[in-house]
Amino acid sequence: MKKLQNYIAGEFVNPVDGEWLDVFEPATGKVYTQSPASTGADVQHAYEAAQSAFPEWSGFTAERRAGYMYTLADLIERDLTRLTKAESCDTGKPIGVARTVDIPRAAANFRFFAGAILHSESTSHDTDGQAINYTLRKPRGVAGLISPWNLPLYLLSWKIAPAIATGNTCVAKPAEVTPMTAYLLGELITEAGFPPGVVNIVHGLGDPCGKAIVEHQNIPTISFTGSTAVGKWIGATAGGMLKRVSLELGGKNPNIIFADADLDQAVENACRGAFSNQGQICLCGARILVEESIAKEFSARLVERTRKIRLGDPSVDGVEFGALVSREHLAKVAGMVDRAKELGGKVLTGGKRYAPDSPRCNDGYFYEPTIITNLDMQCEIQQNEIFGPVVTIATFKNEQTAVELANSTAFGLAAMIWTRDVSRAHRVAQAIEAGIVWVNCWMLRDLRTPFGGAKASGVGREGGTEALRFFTEPKNVCVKL
Ligand code: NAD
């Protein structure tokens, strides 16, 4: 079995302590490789490589940096098939999802930020004819980038791309359960000809590996995507060290269906928004809120549509719904559904494990797409993120109660609104506490827009100009005329 290695200073290296983590294929429940169980010593090596690459890389013209990134995007697309297989095997997601979403979007991230840096503008202010103020933006040094398992290459590249486009170098840590595509990215970075040390990738557990990045004295910028619990610790720790931090955290997103919605579209997208990637997308619509007058019809149609999702071995083309990412996560999801039942929740469909019709998947982490109703909005199931294939349906009487229910959790990441009433769409979008509101659509993304959550869903924004600002230090120069 070939072991994965850390990617430091352009070389693949073993972890200093010689310790390894088993990596499981979720569809089979079997170990298929091992990855480094890195510690602070590995992070220190990665930091040193990044630090020594920084003067040269930050001194390159934007055009030169963009050139490497465009080449990398081309290589990701060239290796679409290989990366797609790796991502599907690593995560349990359907191969079609990896092929059409994760991998193309990773290439798009590098291409987008390569272009963005070429077209970014600086500002200047004419101070009443007495002075001119202009603002310089310089890279901040070595960036620490920590990402989760649900969209591994996509979310890691979403951080690496703006960091290096702006002239930073980085130490990146993918999630320990899904290390494979990050490992392969190292090969492509070398092939693209990047100077060694611009991107360093260390694998390992959150504690000690991620922790060592957050607590490193000389890594001044931390970009983290993951759970709210870990985000709170990172915010407190990095804040105490006066680091700049971006936290993209959990969600419990409302999907609001008004009676005047295009019901075909609303049902189709409620299903997609609930169960894509087995419900393991932070932007999934986990709480469906339906106007009372159409609740019966909507629920029946959603259940019917959900039962048509093609479940199965994620490596088989055409399968739409695969395995959950890990045994632990499967246990968490199943436990929350059991708890929902104890609280009086009525399971309309799903609610149990299943084995796809494929012998290799007998021990895989499969759980049916599940819809639950009859739960109080204040109960723990409605208030906490499940991050799996489980959605709840609740009803509302009018626009005001819809907004109150939508805003009644600690989270504020995303929301969906389905209505044909344009004024209402704008009104409700304004009233919802969330970083992104989709009206009559879901997951339509423009990389130029600010991305991130409000309340317990995060601090700061990624995307477009926000990311370019995050990774740079502004300096104002005031010149007296
Ligand atoms: P997690 O917080 O357990 O882990 C995320 C990453 O942080 C992993 O790489 C992990 O190893 C690392 N980590 C864990 N403890 C750490 C520590 N003490 N110090 C430094 N790093 C540490 O989250 P997860 O289970 O991998 O991902 C699921 C969560 O991510 C969900 O809550 C989901 O909503 C969220 N998520 C948010 C977004 C977003 O954009 N807002 C996107 C995807 C996922």
Side-chain angles (χ1 to χ4, degrees):
M1 182 198 303
K2 185 177 183 295
K3 288 177 177 170
L4 309 187
Q5 291 171 298
N6 288 329
Y7 180 68
I8 297 177
E11 304 281 342
F12 284 100
V13 292
N14 287 339
V16 172
D17 287 358
E19 298 290 331
W20 303 86
L21 302 168
D22 286 338
V23 183
F24 294 81
E25 179 177 1
T28 63
K30 306 226 167 13
V31 175
Y32 83 100
T33 188
Q34 288 189 311
S35 71
S38 306
T39 63
D42 302 284
V43 168
Q44 179 59 22
H45 285 169
Y47 163 76
E48 285 164 11
Q51 179 58 31
S52 42
F54 179 70
E56 183 192 37
W57 181 251
S58 58
F60 283 171
T61 61
E63 192 178 5
R64 187 154 178 201
R65 290 197 301 270
Y68 290 110
M69 294 173 66
Y70 282 128
T71 305
L72 181 57
D74 291 345
L75 293 176
I76 292 172
E77 282 169 351
R78 182 201 68 188
D79 282 4
L80 177 68
T81 305
R82 185 168 79 112
L83 291 167
T84 294
K85 277 190 187 152
E87 181 99 339
S88 170
C89 172
D90 221 20
T91 58
K93 73 180 60 187
I95 195 144
V97 174
R99 184 186 300 123
T100 55
V101 181
D102 296 58
I103 308 305
R105 286 191 176 200
N109 286 340
F110 284 110
R111 202 164 276 137
F112 172 80
F113 282 107
I117 199 67
L118 294 178
H119 299 283
S120 65
E121 293 175 354
S122 55
T123 51
S124 80
H125 299 86
D126 172 1
T127 312
D128 304 323
Q130 295 178 51
I132 294 176
N133 284 274
Y134 61 90
T135 306
L136 299 172
R137 291 198 161 266
K138 297 288 181 197
R140 304 190 81 238
V142 178
L145 313 173
I146 303 174
S147 59
W149 46 257
N150 62 325
L151 300 157
L153 190 61
Y154 173 41
L155 290 177
L156 194 66
S157 58
W158 180 238
K159 295 185 183 305
I160 293 175
I164 62 174
T166 44
N168 300 272
T169 55
C170 67
V171 176
K173 192 199 93 61
E176 56 273 24
V177 280
T178 56
M180 186 50 109
T181 42
Y183 170 76
L184 296 176
L185 184 68
E187 292 180 0
L188 299 183
I189 288 170
T190 298
E191 192 178 341
F194 277 80
V198 172
V199 178
N200 304 278
I201 300 170
V202 285
H203 299 271
L205 296 172
D207 184 1
C209 181
K211 193 162 177 268
I213 296 174
V214 174
E215 290 179 335
H216 197 286
Q217 293 293 340
N218 297 316
I219 298 182
T221 313
I222 302 289
S223 174
F224 170 80
T225 299
S227 62
T228 297
V230 174
K232 280 183 182 170
W233 178 82
I234 291 179
T237 307
M241 297 173 79
L242 301 179
K243 297 189 177 205
R244 186 176 291 175
V245 198
S246 155
L247 303 170
E248 297 296 338
L249 311 177
K252 191 75 179 177
N253 311 308
N255 183 3
I256 309 170
I257 326 274
F258 286 98
D260 68 346
D262 175 332
L263 219 52
D264 291 344
Q265 282 291 316
V267 169
E268 186 59 30
N269 283 284
C271 183
R272 209 166 65 84
F275 302 121
S276 293
N277 205 33
Q278 299 72 247
Q280 302 166 134
I281 301 180
C282 56
L283 304 165
C284 275
R287 292 181 299 138
I288 299 175
L289 309 174
V290 197
E291 193 158 354
E292 253 172 22
S293 58
I294 58 157
K296 213 168 157 202
E297 182 188 356
F298 176 87
S299 299
R301 287 184 60 179
L302 183 63
V303 167
E304 189 190 345
R305 175 66 188 86
T306 299
R307 289 187 177 146
K308 287 188 182 142
I309 297 174
R310 199 169 154 208
L311 318 183
D313 181 342
S315 69
V316 174
D317 255 319
V319 163
E320 296 167 327
F321 185 94
L324 303 196
V325 76
S326 67
R327 191 179 297 282
E328 294 71 26
H329 194 52
L330 171 67
K332 177 194 155 184
V333 170
M336 286 185 87
V337 174
D338 291 345
R339 180 70 185 133
K341 289 181 198 159
E342 282 168 21
L343 291 170
K346 188 173 160 209
V347 176
L348 300 182
T349 188
K352 58 183 187 317
R353 293 186 64 173
Y354 75 99
D357 188 16
S358 162
R360 83 178 199 107
C361 294
N362 283 346
D363 296 323
Y365 315 136
F366 294 90
Y367 198 88
E368 290 178 346
T370 301
I371 303 174
I372 306 177
T373 186
N374 204 35
L375 284 171
D376 188 273
M377 195 49 73
Q378 290 311 311
C379 81
E380 66 203 65
I381 303 301
Q382 298 281 32
Q383 292 293 314
N384 295 320
E385 187 183 39
I386 300 176
F387 209 54
V390 181
V391 284
T392 59
I393 299 182
T395 60
F396 63 84
K397 281 194 188 349
N398 54 38
E399 189 178 309
Q400 191 191 337
T401 40
V403 170
E404 283 168 9
L405 288 175
N407 288 342
S408 68
T409 75
F411 296 104
L413 187 52
M416 287 79 91
I417 303 167
W418 295 87
T419 178
R420 286 188 169 104
D421 180 335
V422 179
S423 301
R424 172 156 63 196
H426 288 291
R427 254 190 334 264
V428 175
Q430 291 201 21
I432 299 263
E433 296 159 353
I436 180 164
V437 179
W438 277 292
V439 177
N440 296 330
C441 59
W442 180 65
M443 279 290 266
L444 204 54
R445 291 272 290 113
D446 181 328
L447 301 187
R448 294 168 299 181
T449 58
F451 176 83
K455 296 158 69 180
S457 292
V459 175
R461 291 292 183 276
E462 298 182 338
T465 314
E466 306 281 338
L468 299 182
R469 284 173 178 255
F470 176 74
F471 285 109
T472 53
E473 191 67 33
K475 180 194 289 176
N476 190 63
V477 179
C478 176
V479 182
K480 173 96 175 68
L481 295 178

